Every structure is written in structure tokens, then in C-alpha cells.
Amino acid sequence: MDNKEKKPSRSAVIKNTAYAVKVITKASPFLLIGYTLSITGYWFFESYIKNVVFLEKMINTVTQGGTFRQFMLMLIAFCGVGLVAHFLDCAGDFISASENKKVYRLLNEQIFRKACQVDVECYENPEFYDNYKRATDVINNELSAEFSWCTGKFVSSAITAVGLVSYICSVDPKILLFLLGMIPFIASQSYRNKLEYRKDKEMTSNNRKKDYVQRVVFLKDFSKDMRTSGIYSVMKARFVNAVESNCAIIKKYGWKTGLLDVFGGFVTEILPIAGTLIYGVYGFAVTETISVAQFAVLISAVTSLKEIIENSGRCISEIQRCSLYFGNLRDFFAYENRLKDGTIKAEKIESIEFRNVTFTYPGAEKPTLKNVSFKINKDETVAIVGKNGAGKSTFVKLLLRFYDPQEGEILYNGINVREYEADTLRKKIGTVFQDYKVFALSVNENVLCRECENDEDRLHVEEALKKSGVYDKISTFEKGADTVLTKEFDDNGTGLSGGEQQKVAAARMFAHPFDLAVLDEPSSALDPIAEYKMYESLIEETVGKMVIYISHRLSSAVLSDRIYVFENGTVAESGSHAELMEKNGVYAEMFTMQASNYKDEEDEDNE
């Protein structure tokens, strides 16, 4: 998406407005109705019934010798209409308040769902985050409520304006000419909101940086580094720079919007009211074509109509402004993944083959994997080893089809991965990632990836925790596996060590059926004993299944049927542990070096 500023065309504004109406009415057909009822009940009664109809009747009753009975009947009728208007106002408020929650929930669900469906490469793209931030502004700034309120107010204003214009024309239609000066005001408000939108768009990147610093300062994962290093000063500088950049942007647009506000005040306050007063006094005192009641009500009617036009202008510009943000939302939802889903549902995995695969990350100059080829069959346990940066984790991303290679192909059961439905294929693969995550949910929910509903679910989680080696720790908690991890939302929550968290992540894999286990550095946070026990569980659990270990540690490689050594994005060596040790190449050098490190550690422990 081009970052260069483009002025939204009139047709784009109309399309965005129609899209906003479509989205809101789909989520809640009654939200716009609720706001329209509420505002009409108040606005029509106050501006037309009270300030024109009742005011004129009251003055005529007093000045033309009306009886007290006539006055009371008129007052009762006025109160009755007022009660109806008040009822509509309250009913509309109730409807809009409850329906707003539905829109908020639905839009959030749609944004979250889309964010989970987009290509993984989007999360490595700052431009995507900016677009995502602008899309969520519709929710965070409650623009759906503002759009609905302005739309309801505009409809209400139109209804009320019909009555007011009818009355003014019955007195003297030439008075409407004094209100023509407000047309430039409506145009100026439209331009003002375009400026506000441009200002907000320019501030998006700075706001994202500012929000990041605000978030990181309070996150537990960063608290130690914040206190033991000088990184806080760097983060503070980023925050200050973002704020100062926003201040500069605000100044850039502030003087323009200020001038537009001054101009708007002149054309809406001085011209209509002063012109009507002069014309009315002339008609009453000089030509005697306007009565006392007409003069008083005329001023009230023109004032009300002026306010309606003024508010209508603001409503139109606000609707336009909101529509620009809904345009961001529409663009976000319209994003099409580069990875196109196939139509074949994945069956039991029998084989996986990388055939001449070359892959380069977007924006990178050099390929991460170059002409990689090998095949893994059912019942095989394979280790992918190599130094950091050799391309091991990239292999996992391609295997799970987070990316597609630029050259070559990846085959599942002899069929190109592009032909499969990605979700059905990924469900066949159990994974434990190097950058494992646990969530601020209960242990049960972290393992099941859904709510724990019954004792059968609890027993299932218990078995998975035992296989991963963390059950003994979890069982010491007062609430057991119902304990919430982290204290972010629960004072009774608990924290786990890095190794314990990794075991919970491994339990997540054990809790779900899989044909292929992919373990990307599965023991990076574990001590050697815990690592050995986890491998024992993996060997026992994966009998008859395909297993791929991704590691720079070589303890898992010894247990594997075949080892592929990655170096600089290529397969430098392959074979069993014994075969590679006999070759005395890259693998043998790595294994000997790691073995000597372990020996040194044992010698230190024995001293």
C-alpha cells in the first residue's frame, strides 16, 4: 500500500459511507433507528413544537384575548406531546446503548479473525501494523457510535427543518436568503475533517511507537532488562521523539483548523441572526407586515433552523470523517493473502518432500534457503541441525506453509502443499516452537486451547502435562490446572519458569492428535535431565509417527534415524549419527565441540 498521501475522492467517500451503513446495520439493524428516535424525539420537540408552534399559539392567545381555558387546553396538549417526545428520547437511548455493544463485539471479532487469517509475513511488515492500527481506530475511538449518532441527528435535523422552513416561508420566504451564507460553512467543515483525518494518519506511526513503549514498560517480560540496563533511556527517547513528532504534526494542521473555526463562527452566528433581526424589525416597525407573534417566533425559528443547518453541516463532515476510517476498515478486511488456499483436505501424512526449494524473505537481498532437497517418510525421526541463522526455523515456516518458496516445491504425500487446505494440513502437525508462548489463561485452557468443560477434559490435560514433565509442578498449586498463568488478570494467578512454560507448550502438542511432530528447539529452556525426560516422552508418544527435531543442540540428533545439517541455507550433510561422525565433517565438529562443553561442565561439578 502506498504511503504517499492521497486525497479521498467524493466517490470514495460515498462508498465508504455506504460501507459504514452496511457494516453497522448488519451488526445491529436497530442502532441507527435507536439514535434517530432518540434525537428526533428531543430535537423536533424542542426546535419546532416548543419554540415555534407552542410559542406562536401562546403569544396569540395572550395578545388576542384568548381565555384561560384555551390556554390550559393548549398547555395540556403541549405536555402530552412533550411526554411522547421524552418517551421516544428514552426509548432511543436504551436501544442505542444496548445495540452499540453488539456492533463493538462483532467488529472486534471480525478484526481479530482477520488478523489471525492474514499471511504471517504481515507481522514482519510495519506498514501492515499501521493499517491494522487505523482499522482498529473504528473500535477504539467508538466511531461506529459516532457515525450512527451523526446519521441519526442528520435525519432528525432534516425532519425538523421541514417544519421550520414551512413556517418561515409562511411568514416571508425571503428570510431564507440570510441562511445561504451557511453553505460555505458546510464546505469548510468538510475540508476541516479531511485535515483532521490527514493529521491522524500522519500520527499513526508515532502513536504505535508511543503505545509500544507504554506497553513494554509495564510488561513482566521486560522488567528485568529495564532495571538492569540502560535500555530505559533509549525507550524513553523513542517515546519523547514520538510525542514531539506528533506535536509538530498537530502544529502543522492546527493553524488551518483554527482559521476554519473562526470563519465558521462568523458565517453561522453573525450573518443569519443579524440579518433576520434587521429584516424582522423592518417588517414589524416600518412595513407592518409582520405581527408581534410572528416576529418573536420568526427569530426563534431562524435561530433553531440556523442551529439545525450548523449541526447538519457538522454531521455531514463527521459522517465523512468517520467514513474515511471505515474505508481503512474496508481495506483491512479486503486484504487478500498472497498464500492462496487449496481445496484438498489433508489426510494422514505419509511423506514430506522438499524439492529444490529456494526461499528469500520479503525485502531480503539473499535467500535464506537455497536449493534444498530431501524427503522424510512415515515412521522416520529426523533431526534438522545447524548453527543459528542456518535456515532451520525458516524450514519450519515453509513446512507449516506460513510462506511459499519462490523456487521449487514442497510435497505432502506427493502433492504440492499449495493444493491443500492450509488449516486441515496444520491440524495434522503438532508443534512446539522455539519462541513458545503461554497465555494469561488457566493451565487447562493453555493446553486444550479451549475451555475445559468436564472431568474428561481435565484427565486429558493431566495426561498431557505428565508427558511433558510439568504435572508435578502444576499439581502443587491450590487450584491445580485451573490456576491462571500470570497475575495480569487474576491475583491468585502464578508464574512459571522458562523451562516450565516450555513444558506447558509441549503439553499443548501432546493434548492434540497429530501425524507429524515438529519441535523447533523444544528444549531450549530445559536443563539436561528435563530435556532427556521430554525426549523419552516424545519417543514413546510418537511411535508410528513422523518426527522432526529442529535444534542447534545435538542430543536429539543422536536419537534420530537421519540427520540433515543446514549450513548457510543449504543441506551440507545428511546421514545417521554414526555416518556423519565417520565423515568427520561439519556435524562431527559441532558434536565434538558440544560434547567437550558438557564434559567441562561435569568436571566443574565434580570439583
Side-chain angles (χ1 to χ4, degrees), residues 222-399:
F222 298 90
S223 59
K224 295 176 183 176
D225 290 301
M226 283 285 186
R227 286 156 178 77
T228 58
S229 69
I231 197 69
Y232 170 73
S233 60
V234 180
M235 299 296 288
K236 179 183 176 182
R238 293 286 189 277
F239 181 85
V240 171
N241 288 337
V243 173
E244 289 179 350
S245 296
N246 277 347
C247 289
I249 293 171
I250 291 171
K251 289 179 181 178
K252 173 183 173 182
Y253 290 97
W255 68 270
K256 296 179 182 178
T257 56
L259 286 177
L260 289 173
D261 288 340
V262 172
F263 170 75
F266 174 77
V267 298
T268 59
E269 296 297 332
I270 297 178
L271 291 181
I273 303 302
T276 302
L277 280 170
I278 294 171
Y279 189 85
V281 169
Y282 182 81
F284 173 73
V286 179
T287 63
E288 298 182 352
T289 55
I290 297 177
S291 66
V292 174
Q294 287 177 326
F295 177 74
V297 176
L298 184 62
I299 298 301
S300 176
V302 170
T303 302
S304 295
L305 186 58
K306 185 271 299 181
E307 291 177 358
I308 284 176
I309 295 175
E310 183 178 355
N311 279 288
S312 296
R314 289 199 175 99
C315 286
I316 291 172
S317 59
E318 281 299 301
I319 289 170
Q320 181 190 46
R321 185 180 73 87
C322 292
S323 74
L324 295 173
Y325 288 93
F326 272 93
N328 294 331
L329 185 67
R330 182 178 65 172
D331 292 342
F332 178 72
F333 284 145
Y335 171 82
E336 292 187 10
N337 288 349
R338 295 185 183 183
L339 302 182
K340 302 301 181 183
D341 216 8
T343 57
I344 302 175
K345 293 186 181 296
E347 301 293 338
K348 186 176 179 64
I349 298 177
E350 301 290 338
S351 67
I352 292 173
E353 181 179 1
F354 272 53
R355 185 180 293 173
N356 303 320
V357 169
T358 296
F359 175 74
T360 304
Y361 282 103
E365 296 180 358
K366 298 180 180 179
T368 304
L369 293 182
K370 294 173 284 188
N371 199 33
V372 171
S373 295
F374 57 82
K375 185 176 181 179
I376 307 171
N377 294 311
K378 177 186 173 183
D379 300 338
E380 282 190 308
T381 297
V382 170
I384 308 292
V385 303
K387 299 177 182 178
N388 291 333
K392 304 187 301 297
S393 293
T394 301
F395 161 79
V396 177
K397 294 176 182 178
L398 292 174
L399 188 66

Side-chain angles (χ1 to χ4, degrees), residues 15-25 147 322-323 326:
K15 289 179 181 178
N16 291 337
T17 301
Y19 177 76
V21 173
K22 177 183 176 182
V23 167
I24 292 170
T25 53
F147 179 90
C322 292
S323 74
F326 272 93

Side-chain angles (χ1 to χ4, degrees), residues 467-469 503 522-523 526-540 549 553 555-556 558-559 598:
K467 290 173 184 176
S468 69
K503 291 175 183 178
S523 57
L526 302 181
D527 58 71
I529 295 176
E531 178 183 41
Y532 181 77
K533 288 182 178 179
M534 177 177 283
Y535 284 144
E536 276 191 326
S537 295
L538 286 170
I539 292 171
E540 181 180 344
Y549 294 105
R553 288 188 186 182
S555 52
S556 59
V558 179
L559 306 173
Y598 279 121

Side-chain angles (χ1 to χ4, degrees), residues 25-195:
T25 53
K26 182 178 180 180
S28 169
F30 302 107
L31 182 59
L32 290 171
I33 295 173
Y35 275 115
T36 303
L37 277 176
S38 176
I39 299 170
T40 302
Y42 171 82
W43 199 257
F44 186 77
F45 176 77
E46 287 288 323
S47 299
Y48 182 67
I49 301 297
K50 177 182 174 182
N51 292 340
V52 174
V53 176
F54 177 72
L55 180 61
E56 184 179 39
K57 296 292 184 183
M58 183 183 67
I59 294 175
N60 284 333
T61 300
V62 173
T63 58
Q64 296 176 8
T67 64
F68 180 74
R69 182 175 178 277
Q70 290 176 321
F71 179 81
M72 289 304 298
L73 289 174
M74 182 181 60
L75 184 61
I76 291 171
F78 172 77
C79 291
V81 174
L83 284 173
V84 173
H86 183 67
F87 172 79
L88 291 175
D89 186 19
C90 293
D93 281 343
F94 174 78
I95 293 172
S96 56
S98 58
E99 296 301 307
N100 250 322
K101 300 298 182 183
K102 293 182 181 179
V103 177
Y104 178 84
R105 177 178 59 80
L106 181 66
L107 288 182
N108 263 313
E109 288 177 356
Q110 290 177 339
I111 291 173
F112 294 159
R113 189 183 307 117
K114 184 66 177 182
C116 292
Q117 292 173 344
V118 297
D119 294 331
V120 171
E121 69 176 71
C122 290
Y123 291 95
E124 298 174 0
N125 184 353
E127 185 180 339
F128 167 80
Y129 277 107
D130 285 343
N131 293 335
Y132 176 73
K133 176 71 169 60
R134 294 186 190 113
T136 56
D137 281 342
V138 171
I139 302 298
N140 297 334
N141 297 335
E142 298 184 348
L143 294 181
S144 59
E146 186 173 348
F147 179 90
S148 302
W149 186 84
C150 288
T151 301
K153 192 169 186 179
F154 179 77
V155 173
S156 172
S157 297
I159 294 171
T160 306
V162 171
L164 293 173
V165 170
S166 298
Y167 177 80
I168 293 171
C169 288
S170 69
V171 177
D172 191 337
K174 292 190 291 294
I175 296 173
L176 294 175
L177 295 174
F178 294 110
L179 296 168
L180 293 179
M182 298 187 68
I183 294 177
F185 164 75
I186 296 174
S188 71
Q189 286 297 299
S190 176
Y191 179 64
R192 186 186 189 283
N193 279 288
K194 289 179 183 179
L195 293 177

Side-chain angles (χ1 to χ4, degrees), residues 425-470:
L425 188 59
R426 290 169 187 157
K427 287 178 180 178
K428 299 290 183 181
I429 304 174
T431 55
V432 179
F433 292 111
Q434 178 179 358
D435 52 347
Y436 57 89
K437 299 297 179 185
V438 297
F439 302 92
L441 302 168
S442 71
V443 176
N444 283 323
E445 291 166 326
N446 265 283
V447 173
L448 287 176
C449 298
R450 58 177 174 80
E451 292 185 357
C452 186
E453 298 177 348
N454 49 49
D455 291 340
E456 184 179 347
D457 284 345
R458 287 182 169 81
L459 288 173
H460 189 55
V461 172
E462 182 178 320
E463 288 299 316
L465 293 172
K466 287 178 179 178
K467 290 173 184 176
S468 69
V470 74

